[in-house]
Structures are given as C-alpha cells and as structure tokens.
C-alpha cells in the first residue's frame, strides 16, 4: 500500500531555502538537500484548509489578540504532554530563534555568562555572542551509544552563569531527555539562580519508547523560573509562517519579556501564522501520529542502511527529531575535506558538524524529514562515494 508520505513533491523554484539555495551553498546544482530543518511533506489538510478559508475571506486586516489560538495551545499541551498551562501564560513570538534572542536580551546583560550544551543548534551560540554575552559550554558526553549531560561540570559552571539554554529534545544528537535528567538539570539551575530557557520546538517529534517531558511540567513547584519556547513549525512543517509561542508562568518574567517585544514593535503576529497554529493544535493530532510512524520508519531505514552498507559511518537511531547525527570520524578526513566530500563527491547537502560547536568535528547532520525514496537516493549516493574513497 502506498503511503502518502512517500510522495515526492518538487520544491525547486518554490522559494525554499533548502532546495533553491542548495546549489549556491554546496557548489553544485545536482545536490540532494538534507540540511535545514524543514520537511519535504505538505502540512496536514487541516492547516491548508484553514489557510485557504482565511484566504477566501479576503480581508487581512490587523488580527485581534489570539485567545482562541492560545486555548488550542493549552489543550495540546495538556493532551499531548500532560502539562497544564493557561492562555494568560502565552506570548506570541515571530519564531523561536528570535524568541531566544529576545529572552537573552531581556534577562541578561552584556558580559553575563550563559550555559549551552554543545554540540547544539548553532543559533544558541549566535544569540548569546551577538549580544555580547559569554557562552559557557557544558558539553554533552558520549557513552554507551548515547549522549548524556555532564552534571558535575554543570554544577561548577552554574555558579557563575545567569541563564541556561536547554534544547529539549536535543538538536542535533536526537536525545529526548528523561525525567531524572531534566529534574537534575533544573535542581542545579535553581540552586544557582540560573534562569532556564527551554527550546522545545522538537517536543512533538518523539519516537517509540520515549516521551517528551516539558521542563516546566516537572512537579517541583518551580515552573516560575522557566521560560518555554515552542511552535507548531517543526511538527507540522510550517516554519515559513514564523509563528511561535513563549510560555511563561511567572507574571513578572512574562511582563519583562512582553515589554521587550513591545519596545521592538514586534508584538503583532501574522494572521496566517496564527490561523495555521490554531488549526494545527486543534486538528493536527491524527496526521502527526501518522507522520511519527513514517519518520520513525525513516530513522530505522537510515540506521540499518548505514550499518549494512556504510560501516565507515556510525549513527544512532535518534529518540526524537528528524535529524541524524552522523559520526564520520572513521573516514579520516579533515573537516574541510569532509564537507567537500559530501557536497562534491556524494552530492548530498548536509549540515557541517562543526557549526554545532567544536564537539561536532568529524560529524555531519542529516535531515531525514523527507519521502523515503529521496532518503534512499541520498544514502545510496553516500554509500557509492564512500566506496570510491577507499
Ligand atoms: C532547536 C531549534 N530551535 C529553533 C529552531 C528554529 O525555530 P524558528 O524557525 O521558529 O526560529 C530550530 C530549527 O531547526 C531548532 O532546531
């Protein structure tokens, strides 16, 4: 039986950065792109229909505050993640990366130290450094086939830090943090008065045997010290709509954050973004359940293909996200050679591991949020190129 997610839809010339910028980025027109984190699937019909209805209405004046959409977020968080939130806690933001930058700006000052856990999503570094704050690295370590947090190191570094930016689930290593891990992290941060900014944009994309636990849902009575950033954009492939949510229980922190947004004049959201967000959270669950089965199938296909056909590479099946973190160190190439090898020899566009921090040396990130025939083609290209290396 055919699966709807198997259908390949051309994205060339659709204004997609993943496809239309690939030739410039990777230096070749015939590169298959597996880099920036969006998927090659259409969003669920519930979203496209809601957007079409909004377009048909034909009047696109200023939207009112979106309490109706926030209700949908509250019910999504409760049903999907067992987290009780309130519409009043929500602040609309034009993208999670922007929200990270705004939070850094609001809650820290120049020179302050901010902890991140590399290898990690590159804008975590940039949002700190671009505002003259100092990155403190609490690197993840690799043991028994998986990445872990180094709590001893965190306990030391938290003493001098003002904020920690958590990636949960973690991009690029694909960890879905367990309750004890999250509780330990929170305990250390609270002891040291470190504000936690938790980026949970990948929180809905979690595979069998794992559960995403919103940090602020831990029953420690400390949700007040946490700022949660999330969006339907990874889950439902709506990144181009730039609509995200900050969830902040503490009224004073929320007031300060909202004030920054207001001062910058970006406190109004886009009518299409909010329409899509509401439709996604109200009606998207059945589609998401199907997507997760498909993506997990891709994750298994990828890990089996690599272990059977490209033993020089190592990869673990991610616990969440549609991102695979390829250990290419056995190819014995310098980082520059590695990047050139994938772009020029294998003709696939992956993310350079070193952009996730120096811990990413020898690694590349592959986005498997695509129809399996495309994934299969990309993996075959890599296998062939690796054979020709020998
Ligand atoms: C951890 C993480 N945060 C944020 C983003 C991007 O969020 P936005 O497009 O809302 O700025 C990504 C995209 O890959 C991501 O992986």
């Amino acid at each position: 039986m055919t699966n709807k997610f198997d259908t390949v839809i051309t994205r060339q010339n659709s204004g997609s950065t993943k496809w239309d910028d690939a030739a410039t980025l990777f230096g070749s027109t015939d590169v298959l792109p597996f880099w920036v984190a969006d998927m090659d699937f259409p969003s669920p019909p519930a979203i496209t229909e809601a957007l079409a209805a909004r377009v048909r209405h034909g009047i696109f004046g200023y939207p009112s505050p979106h309490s109706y959409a926030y209700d949908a977020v509250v019910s999504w968080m409760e049903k999907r993640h067992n987290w009780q939130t309130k519409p009043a806690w929500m602040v609309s933001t034009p993208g999670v990366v922007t929200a990270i930058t705004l939070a850094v700006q609001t809650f820290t000052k120049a020179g302050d130290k901010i902890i991140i856990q590399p290898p990690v999503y590159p804008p975590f570094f940039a949002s700190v450094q671009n505002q003259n704050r100092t990155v403190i690295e609490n690197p993840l370590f690799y043991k028994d086939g998986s990445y872990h947090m180094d709590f001893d190191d965190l306990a030391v570094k938290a003493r001098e830090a003002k904020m920690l930016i958590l990636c949960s689930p973690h991009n690029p290593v694909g960890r879905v943090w367990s309750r004890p891990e999250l509780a330990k992290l929170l305990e250390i941060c609270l002891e040291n008065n470190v504000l936690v900014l938790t980026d949970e944009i990948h929180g809905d994309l979690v595979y069998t045997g794992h559960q995403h636990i919103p940090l602020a849902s831990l029953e420690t009575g400390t949700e007040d010290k946490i700022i949660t950033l999330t969006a339907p954009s990874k889950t439902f492939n709506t990144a181009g709509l730039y609509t995200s949510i900050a969830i902040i229980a503490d009224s004073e922190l929320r007031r300060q954050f909202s004030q920054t947004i207001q001062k910058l004049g970006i406190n109004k959201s886009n009518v299409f973004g909010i329409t899509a967000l509401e439709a996604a959270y109200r009606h998207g669950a059945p589609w998401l359940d199907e997507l997760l089965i498909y993506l997990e199938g891709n994750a298994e296909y990828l890990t089996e293909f690599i272990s059977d056909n490209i033993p020089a590479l190592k990869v673990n099946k991610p616990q969440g996200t549609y991102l695979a973190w390829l250990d290419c160190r056995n190819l014995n190439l310098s980082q520059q050679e590695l990047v050139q090898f994938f772009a020029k020899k294998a003709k696939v566009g992956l993310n350079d591991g070193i952009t996730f921090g120096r811990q990413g040396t020898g690694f590349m990130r592959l986005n498997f949020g695509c129809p399996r025939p495309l994934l299969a083609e990309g993996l075959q290209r890599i296998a062939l190129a690796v054979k020709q290396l020998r």
Side-chain angles (χ1 to χ4, degrees):
M1 225 178 64
T2 55
N3 186 312
K4 64 173 176 271
F5 294 107
D6 278 330
T7 309
V8 177
I9 298 174
T10 305
R11 294 186 69 195
Q12 275 106 341
N13 304 317
S14 69
S16 144
T17 191
K18 187 184 196 178
W19 287 82
D20 292 331
D21 299 338
T24 315
L25 271 173
F26 300 102
S28 173
T29 49
D30 52 355
V31 158
L32 260 187
F34 299 95
W35 62 290
V36 66
D38 69 27
M39 301 188 282
D40 298 320
F41 306 125
S43 293
I47 293 185
T48 42
E49 280 157 20
L51 288 173
R54 193 64 192 78
V55 168
R56 277 197 301 275
H57 184 257
I59 301 177
F60 310 116
Y62 296 117
S64 74
H66 354 275
S67 45
Y68 49 96
Y70 295 158
D71 287 343
V73 182
V74 169
S75 111
W76 182 265
M77 291 305 163
E78 184 176 355
K79 284 196 199 123
R80 221 61 214 181
H81 302 299
N82 199 21
W83 180 25
Q84 315 295 326
T85 60
K86 295 189 178 143
W89 296 358
M90 317 269 158
V91 182
S92 180
T93 53
V96 167
V97 170
T98 306
I100 296 172
T101 303
L102 294 169
V104 167
Q105 218 176 79
T106 307
F107 301 113
T108 65
K109 52 185 193 318
D112 279 350
K113 295 179 172 144
I114 300 181
I115 300 173
I116 59 173
Q117 298 177 303
V120 75
Y121 183 52
F124 280 28
F125 291 89
S127 59
V128 174
Q129 289 162 340
N130 288 344
Q131 299 181 90
N132 303 319
R133 277 63 164 170
T134 305
V135 166
I136 301 279
E137 296 192 4
N138 168 229
L140 302 179
F141 67 92
Y142 189 77
K143 195 175 163 221
D144 302 331
S146 178
Y147 280 88
H148 304 272
M149 293 189 196
D150 183 343
F151 292 115
D152 292 338
D153 180 66
L154 180 61
V156 174
K157 290 178 177 162
R159 283 185 211 143
E160 46 173 1
K162 280 275 165 13
M163 177 184 268
L164 177 143
I165 312 177
L166 173 68
C167 196
S168 176
H170 192 94
N171 168 10
V173 307
R175 274 299 317 277
V176 174
W177 303 116
S178 67
R179 192 175 290 276
E181 285 171 311
L182 293 171
K184 184 75 191 160
L185 175 131
L186 194 54
E187 182 192 316
I188 294 172
C189 288
L190 290 172
E191 266 170 23
N192 292 281
N193 218 8
V194 172
L195 183 69
V196 186
L197 190 61
T198 175
D199 176 343
E200 305 194 358
I201 196 168
H202 296 278
D204 297 314
L205 300 167
V206 165
Y207 304 126
T208 314
H210 300 281
Q211 195 199 340
H212 169 65
I213 300 165
L215 186 71
S217 74
L218 293 181
E219 288 180 2
T220 55
T222 52
E223 66 196 3
D224 289 3
K225 295 289 171 215
I226 296 165
I227 294 177
T228 304
L229 305 177
T230 193
S233 53
K234 297 286 153 211
T235 316
F236 297 103
N237 211 26
T238 56
L241 294 172
Y242 282 105
T243 301
S244 55
I245 300 277
I247 307 179
I248 311 174
D250 181 83
S251 58
E252 181 51 24
L253 292 182
R254 196 168 60 245
R255 189 193 63 76
Q256 291 171 16
F257 185 71
S258 303
Q259 197 176 51
T260 302
I261 291 181
Q262 240 150 26
K263 276 190 196 156
L264 292 168
I266 51 172
N267 54 326
K268 305 286 190 298
S269 36
N270 181 291
V271 79
F272 293 113
I274 213 77
T275 299
L277 177 143
E278 189 192 3
Y281 286 146
R282 276 204 203 291
H283 310 295
W287 180 91
L288 173 59
D289 292 336
E290 290 176 307
L291 173 77
L292 287 173
I293 293 170
Y294 192 82
L295 286 178
E296 186 160 9
N298 271 4
E300 278 157 8
Y301 177 83
L302 172 130
T303 44
E304 277 164 32
F305 186 97
I306 289 181
S307 93
D308 293 348
N309 302 290
I310 328 178
L313 301 186
K314 288 203 198 89
V315 65
N316 292 313
K317 182 183 156 196
Q319 300 173 347
T321 80
Y322 48 74
L323 307 165
W325 188 231
L326 305 185
D327 182 348
C328 312
R329 287 174 296 179
N330 286 340
L331 294 179
N332 292 317
L333 300 173
S334 71
Q335 195 66 18
Q336 209 185 359
E337 288 167 342
L338 189 63
V339 170
Q340 290 296 313
F341 167 77
F342 279 100
K344 298 275 159 49
K345 295 277 192 293
K347 304 239 185 247
V348 290
L350 310 189
N351 290 88
D352 178 355
I354 210 162
T355 59
F356 297 81
R358 63 199 151 77
Q359 299 79 2
T361 309
F363 289 77
M364 299 291 284
R365 192 191 74 174
L366 186 152
N367 169 354
F368 58 85
C370 63
R372 203 154 309 151
L374 281 185
L375 180 61
E377 165 71 19
L379 291 171
Q380 264 147 21
R381 289 185 185 199
I382 299 172
L384 187 67
V386 169
K387 262 192 206 119
Q388 287 167 352
L389 251 187
R390 306 275 131 197

